[in-house]
Amino acid sequence: MTQVATLSAGSTITVRNPFNGNVVGDVAESTPSEIATAVARAKIAQQDFRRSTPALRRSLLNALAAEIAADAEDLARIISSEMGKTIREARNEVRRAQNTLKLSGDAATFLDGEALHCAIVEGGADRLATITYEPVGVVAAITPFNYPLNLLCHKLGPAIAAGNAVVAKPSPKAPLTAERLCSLAERAGWPRNLFQVVHGGAEVALSLARSPINLLSFTGGLTAGLALKNASGLVRCLMELGGNDPLFVMPDADLDKAVATTIGHRFEIAGQSCAAVKKLYLHHDIERAFTEKLLAEVDAVEFGDPSLDDTDMGPLIDAAAARNVQERIDATIAGKRGKLLTGGNHTGALFAPTVLSEITADAPVIADETFGPVIAIRTFGDAAEAIAEVNAGEYGLQAGVFTNDHAVIKQFSRDLVVGGVMINEGPDFRAEHVPFGGVKRSGLGREGVRIALREMSEPKVVID
């Protein structure tokens, strides 16, 4: 019996390649009763697993990483075909997913507790408090389309390392990778029902959130996140809800490196990353030189068929997403809130790399998160004013700053109200074991293997 909870008869989700429209697979949408069954099975599996040793958990996670390595090219092809990521980007995601699982396995052996003397209170002189961390139970993991493997592993790895069971619901736009991962977990010898997958859209997500789960980990949009949080009641929620992330380039910056980072971070997966460079702040002293270098590099970006090794950028997830980006660009230009320098057009889901300058603070392309390959240039002279403008926004995920001035680094690091500040790097940089997440409407809690392990555990105090 498969660990994947699917529906034998009923609605079918057809998955199409966003580049050419070809059908690449299908999955059955899960019913409410199947979701309830999956959660019930997960609870039983977790009761057996909760007392497992850290060594066993590490062994299971390493075994799954090994199965991913053996299946790496097929997994990369699935990722590329179902959501349009270039094959090079997909292969990199597969590598990162292996690393995420291995780091989770290592972290399982260091879920340390602590001992505290109680002599601070009357009668506590001879008492010692021991604090340990126990699994929360069943983790519901709801993931987006843009990193269908690694973002699932960022939830799955720490959850298993902490001794939990997982019921995952991937995006209906990219469900095939999660299904393959679940099959690989079976092949790796994972206990039955410890990791299950259900499929569907918003209603399935809400049904899962309302189930008797113990923790909800969600990556996606703000509106969906708020709905899931309300549906889950008092269940603990970890939520990464996106951002409107800035990159600042100061006069002393290495312009060539900053240009390469801007392109790499904004055009990766066609700009559909939560921490991509959504707003590019250029100091007016270097604006002209930077823009000239930028346009030359943008012209060299090869965009098209994501299955080809020499393609730099593939399509958006679908034509509707491309139309949304187009509408934002058109509204920006029509309202005289920006000037188009290159790009600004699409064919189906394939959007040309785009650069806009003279962007105003209220321009539609930056007023809210734009999920597409659009570089929107703001200029500034006073760093404090630029920081204040970013802080006035609703999101606070990450930011990047290019400078070698220590005082400026301290200023940006201290004053930006965000979850992370990357120095001489773009806002989309993350390492698998480092805390990742934001403030304000960018989310609740943090991902990153080490901190997620604690987030997915319950502290227990024993005083003797």
Side-chain angles (χ1 to χ4, degrees), residues 39 43 46 135-140 164 211-216 234-237 458:
V39 172
K43 284 187 176 293
Q46 196 273 331
V136 295
V138 175
V139 173
N164 302 301
S211 300
I213 58 174
N214 303 102
L215 185 145
L216 172 63
L234 293 178
V235 168
R236 185 188 308 174
C237 292
E458 289 285 5

Side-chain angles (χ1 to χ4, degrees), residues 50-338:
R50 69 189 312 269
R51 298 300 180 194
S52 61
T53 65
L56 174 61
R57 299 171 193 175
R58 180 171 62 180
S59 175
L60 292 174
L61 289 164
N62 285 342
L64 180 54
E67 292 294 340
I68 291 174
D71 199 42
E73 187 61 19
D74 280 350
L75 267 173
R77 293 288 173 187
I78 292 171
I79 293 169
S80 180
S81 64
E82 75 171 338
M83 57 78 55
K85 182 173 292 190
T86 69
I87 190 61
R88 284 186 286 146
E89 292 170 334
R91 287 170 182 149
N92 186 52
E93 180 175 352
V94 172
R95 286 191 293 269
R96 290 185 66 177
Q98 295 170 59
N99 193 38
T100 300
L101 293 175
K102 291 176 183 177
L103 287 168
S104 297
D106 292 342
T109 64
F110 294 101
L111 188 57
D112 298 326
E114 58 182 325
L116 298 176
H117 290 286
C118 297
I120 194 171
V121 298
E122 186 176 351
D126 296 323
R127 293 192 177 275
L128 184 72
T130 304
I131 298 94
T132 57
Y133 291 89
E134 299 196 347
V136 295
V138 175
V139 173
I142 301 177
T143 55
F145 68 84
N146 54 354
Y147 292 94
L149 181 62
N150 196 34
L151 282 184
L152 178 51
C153 287
H154 263 289
K155 302 178 189 303
L156 179 65
I160 297 301
N164 302 301
V166 175
V167 178
K169 192 212 77 69
S171 167
K173 296 180 180 181
L176 304 178
T177 302
E179 187 134 324
R180 175 63 70 89
L181 182 64
C182 198
S183 297
L184 293 177
E186 286 186 281
R187 191 185 303 173
W190 281 34
R192 186 186 184 91
N193 297 322
L194 193 64
F195 171 34
Q196 301 170 80
V197 175
V198 296
H199 292 293
E203 287 305 314
V204 171
L206 289 170
S207 181
L208 181 57
R210 295 187 185 107
S211 300
I213 58 174
N214 303 102
L215 185 145
L216 172 63
S217 180
F218 170 74
T219 300
L222 174 61
T223 300
L226 289 173
L228 290 168
K229 186 175 186 298
N230 290 334
S232 64
L234 293 178
V235 168
R236 185 188 308 174
C237 292
L238 304 177
M239 295 197 165
E240 199 276 277
L241 304 177
N244 205 0
D245 302 304
L247 174 63
F248 300 88
V249 184
M250 300 300 289
D252 67 319
D254 180 335
L255 297 191
D256 290 334
K257 183 178 179 183
V259 165
T261 299
T262 299
I263 290 175
H265 283 222
R266 189 48 171 151
F267 295 159
E268 180 187 9
I269 54 174
Q272 300 170 113
S273 178
C274 56
V277 181
K278 309 290 170 53
K279 298 184 281 191
L280 176 60
Y281 284 82
L282 301 181
H283 193 279
H284 57 61
D285 287 352
I286 49 90
E287 177 194 7
R288 177 171 301 205
F290 186 98
T291 303
E292 289 176 356
K293 289 175 178 288
L294 178 68
L295 290 174
E297 294 300 321
V298 169
D299 286 343
V301 173
E302 294 287 341
F303 64 103
D305 188 346
S307 68
L308 302 178
D309 284 333
D310 59 357
T311 300
D312 298 315
M313 190 183 84
L316 297 179
I317 188 63
D318 53 33
R323 288 193 295 271
N324 178 269
V325 174
Q326 185 75 66
E327 289 169 2
R328 291 175 181 230
I329 293 171
D330 291 346
T332 296
I333 295 170
K336 301 186 186 301
R337 288 175 283 186

